[in-house]
């Protein structure tokens, strides 16, 4: 099996450990044909990129593309779903700098409008801490995710179900309609085998992401592959894996 492209890698621009060049070198070492740098959107209170950082990242990546023509380099972002209306933390101007938009829900993102969006965070945290409130958290997360997919051009929904419960069938249907790929994340356990089976009831497409936070993890896909095999996902539905030598 071979991973052809890894769109989900973090660098020191958010809370990854390596530089963009460190990740690129590892991508080349792993034999990737293409990869993206996709750091956390600026709305994340702890890990978000600084406002304006994407311009600098674009310049750095374009220069590295000239230095390393053997791999195709893309600038992405892992945007945050901010709240119930599905707004994301990337401006129109910044969207113009990007090749790919990945997006996911994270606990540490600042709600778009506090009074309206705070319940999403509140019920996810209550659910996490107490094991209760799952139904309410699931309803809010599903509403936020579906709105996000419908109202934005999102290429990849990262780790669905990892940071809060969602109605996976509803999310997969929305992703299919929007043309968004669902990520099979190698670092988090989601999509899980069970979630993959639910998603396969639709025609949604999948993509494996390493979610590397250190250069050595770029291009890793083995954990995701285990779940793909267990769930019986046909390889043609996964955008970036193909049969062949590593
Ligand atoms: Zn994430
Ligand atoms: Zn990530």
């Amino acid at each position: 099996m071979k991973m052809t492209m890894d769109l989900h890698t973090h660098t020191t621009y958010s809370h990854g450990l390596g530089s963009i060049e460190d990740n690129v070198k590892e991508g080349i070492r792993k034999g990737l044909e293409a990869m993206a740098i996709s750091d956390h959107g600026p709305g994340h209170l702890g890990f978000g990129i600084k406002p304006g950082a994407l311009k600098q990242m674009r310049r750095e990546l374009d220069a590295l593309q000239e230095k390393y023509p053997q791999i195709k380099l893309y600038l992405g972002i892992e945007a945050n779903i901010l709240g119930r209306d599905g707004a994301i933390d990337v401006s129109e101007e910044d969207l113009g700098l990007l090749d790919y938009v990945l997006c996911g829900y994270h606990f540490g993102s600042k709600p778009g409008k506090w009074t309206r969006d705070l319940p999403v965070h509140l019920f996810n945290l209550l659910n996490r801490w107490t094991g209760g409130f799952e139904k309410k958290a699931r309803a809010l997360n599903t509403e936020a995710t579906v709105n996000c997919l419908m109202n934005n051009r999102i290429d990849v929904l990262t780790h669905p179900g990892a940071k809060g419960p969602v109605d996976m069938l509803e999310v997969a249907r929305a992703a299919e309609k929007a043309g968004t790929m669902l990520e099979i994340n190698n670092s988090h356990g989601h999509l899980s085998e069970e979630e993959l089976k639910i998603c396969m009831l639709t025609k949604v497409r999948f993509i494996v992401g390493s979610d590397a936070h250190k250069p050595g993890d770029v291009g890793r896909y083995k954990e995701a592959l285990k779940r793909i095999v267990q769930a019986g996902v046909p390889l043609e539905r996964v955008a970036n894996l193909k049969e062949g030598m590593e």
Side-chain angles (χ1 to χ4, degrees):
M1 193 66 62
K2 188 179 174 353
M3 190 190 207
T4 54
M5 172 167 83
D6 188 358
L7 292 187
H8 193 168
T9 79
H10 295 275
T11 72
T12 47
Y13 278 99
S14 58
H15 65 147
L17 296 180
S19 66
I20 294 182
E21 186 164 16
D22 292 335
N23 280 17
V24 170
K25 279 183 179 165
E26 184 65 17
I28 293 167
R29 208 180 69 76
K30 294 268 171 63
L32 296 176
E33 295 163 13
M35 65 177 286
I37 300 300
S38 45
D39 276 309
H40 290 284
H44 196 288
L45 295 169
F47 312 138
I49 55 169
K50 291 192 179 74
L54 281 172
K55 277 200 186 102
Q56 192 185 332
M57 295 171 80
R58 180 82 260 177
R59 277 197 299 275
E60 203 177 319
L61 200 72
D62 290 347
L64 288 168
Q65 182 66 86
E66 287 194 19
K67 188 171 172 188
Y68 301 106
Q70 64 270 51
I71 187 167
K72 179 70 192 148
L73 301 178
Y74 296 112
L75 183 60
I77 195 164
E78 187 178 15
N80 292 286
I81 301 176
L82 297 177
R84 294 177 75 161
D85 68 348
I88 61 171
D89 59 342
V90 186
S91 67
E92 282 296 321
E93 191 194 351
D94 276 351
L95 285 172
L97 295 168
L98 298 170
D99 302 306
Y100 280 99
V101 180
L102 293 77
C103 186
Y105 175 75
H106 301 91
F107 294 118
S109 70
K110 187 178 162 197
K113 290 176 186 140
W114 284 90
T115 47
R116 193 198 50 197
D117 294 340
L118 205 58
V120 178
H121 285 303
L122 184 67
F123 281 100
N124 276 317
L125 291 173
L126 283 172
N127 178 40
R128 197 186 195 195
W129 289 332
T130 70
F133 303 98
E134 184 173 343
K135 206 172 153 197
K136 185 70 181 163
R138 185 184 301 274
L140 287 167
N141 290 334
T142 304
E143 182 187 350
T145 307
V146 169
N147 282 337
C148 176
L149 297 178
M150 290 298 128
N151 299 338
N152 302 283
R153 195 190 60 79
I154 306 294
D155 298 297
V156 179
L157 183 67
T158 59
H159 47 65
K163 310 283 179 179
V166 292
D167 182 322
M168 201 53 80
L169 187 58
E170 228 182 287
V171 167
R173 280 187 182 134
E176 182 192 345
K177 203 167 155 192
T180 302
M181 291 183 280
L182 295 185
E183 184 190 50
I184 307 168
N185 189 294
N186 195 66
S187 301
H188 300 291
H190 299 265
L191 295 165
S192 66
E193 180 187 346
E194 292 71 27
E195 290 165 341
L196 281 166
K197 284 178 180 165
I198 293 169
C199 294
M200 278 197 292
L201 298 171
T202 74
K203 291 192 170 65
V204 74
R205 281 177 61 73
F206 304 104
I207 185 165
V208 174
S210 71
D211 204 356
H213 284 74
K214 54 178 191 291
D217 287 343
V218 171
R220 288 228 163 118
Y221 64 92
K222 292 283 169 64
E223 291 305 313
L225 181 62
K226 272 187 211 160
R227 306 197 303 270
I228 288 168
V229 171
Q230 282 161 355
V233 181
L235 217 50
E236 56 269 22
R237 287 188 65 166
V238 184
N240 60 342
L241 291 186
K242 68 177 187 192
E243 301 280 0
M245 297 292 285
E246 278 190 34

